[in-house]
Amino acid sequence: MATDIDGFLPDSSFMLDVPAQDWREAITLAGKGLTASGFTTEAYTGEMIAAVENLGPYMVIAPGLALAHSRPSAAVLNTGLSWVRLSTPVKFGNKANDPVSLVIGLAGKNEDEHIVVMSAIASALSDPVKTAQLKAAATPEDIRRILKA
Amino acid sequence: MDILCVCGMGIGTSVILRSNVEQVAADMGLDVNVQTADAGSAMGTANMCDLVLTSAELAGQLSGTSTPVEVVSNFMDKDEIRSVLEKYAA
C-alpha cells in the first residue's frame, strides 16, 4: 500500500493552503495537480467541471471534502490523485457538506487501480484524529505518512 | 446482504463509500457483498441487490428500482452508515 500512495500522490500533486474564488477554480487547481503529475491532460479539468454541472455537487461526500473526478477517458494518462487544501473554504452548492476546504482530484484509468489508495483515504478521513492531522500537516510527505499509518 | 453503492461515474465516491460500508459491516459482524456502479447503469444491478446506497443528488435517478434506496449524506461518517445498515441488518 505504501508504494501506491507514493506513486498516486507525488509531491507535484499537492497544493497546500492555496486560495480559490469558487468551486470551478478549486477544481481547476485539482486539475493542475493531476496534469503536473502526468496523470491527465488539461482536458480532464473541463471534464471534472462538466461532471458537477451535469450531475450536481454530489462529489462533496463529507463535510468540507470534495472528490473531484470524471470518468476514465482519453484525457486520463495514468491513474493518480491530487490534493488541494484551500486557504479559504468555497461553496459547491451541496447543502449537507458545504463549504469545501479539501479537494481531492481523482483520475482513474479503470475501476480498480486506485481502490487501495482510495480505501486508505476513506479510512483516514473517517477518523477524526487523522482528519485533524491532515488539516495541520505541513508537507506532502507528512500527509502521505498519515495516510499510510 | 448485497449492497450497491452508486455514484455519478462509478469510480470515485462509490469506491470511497464501499470501503467504509465494508469496514462498518465488518465491525457489526454483517456478511455483505458490496458492489459499485454509476447512476446511468445502476438500475439493472440495483434490482438484484438488497439495498442501494447513494448521495442525495443521485437518489432521484434510482427511484424506479424495487430495491430500497438510502441516502448517505456524509460518506466518511461511520455512525451514519451504521444506522442505515442497522435498519436492514435483521
Side-chain angles (χ1 to χ4, degrees), chain A residues 8-72:
Chain A
F8 289 150
L9 278 169
D11 285 357
S12 54
S13 69
F14 284 86
M15 289 179 215
L16 299 181
D17 309 314
V18 291
Q21 292 290 323
D22 54 27
W23 68 265
R24 285 168 206 274
E25 203 175 324
I27 289 182
T28 302
L29 291 171
K32 280 186 179 159
L34 292 172
T35 309
S37 307
F39 297 140
T40 66
T41 67
E42 287 177 11
Y44 192 71
T45 298
E47 293 177 14
M48 290 193 289
I49 290 172
V52 175
E53 288 171 344
N54 294 334
L55 295 165
Y58 80 93
M59 292 173 194
V60 188
I61 54 173
L65 171 66
L67 183 70
H69 66 290
S70 183
R71 292 172 194 280

Side-chain angles (χ1 to χ4, degrees), chain A residues 51 55 57-59 61-63 65 67 69-72 94 96-97 106 108 111 114-115 118-119 121-123 125-126, chain B residues 7-13 15-20 23 36 38-40 55 57-58 61 72-78:
Chain A
L55 295 165
Y58 80 93
M59 292 173 194
I61 54 173
L65 171 66
L67 183 70
H69 66 290
S70 183
R71 292 172 194 280
N94 183 296
N97 295 321
L106 164 68
E111 293 172 10
H114 56 293
I115 284 179
M118 296 286 274
S119 297
I121 289 172
S123 174
L125 289 174
S126 59
Chain B
C7 74
M9 307 295 172
I11 68 152
T13 63
V15 173
I16 292 266
L17 185 57
R18 179 174 75 184
S19 172
N20 282 334
Q23 277 200 19
T36 57
D38 66 274
S55 48
E57 286 82 1
L58 301 177
Q61 293 188 39
V72 177
S73 63
N74 181 352
F75 284 23
M76 296 297 183
D77 183 353
K78 288 182 175 164

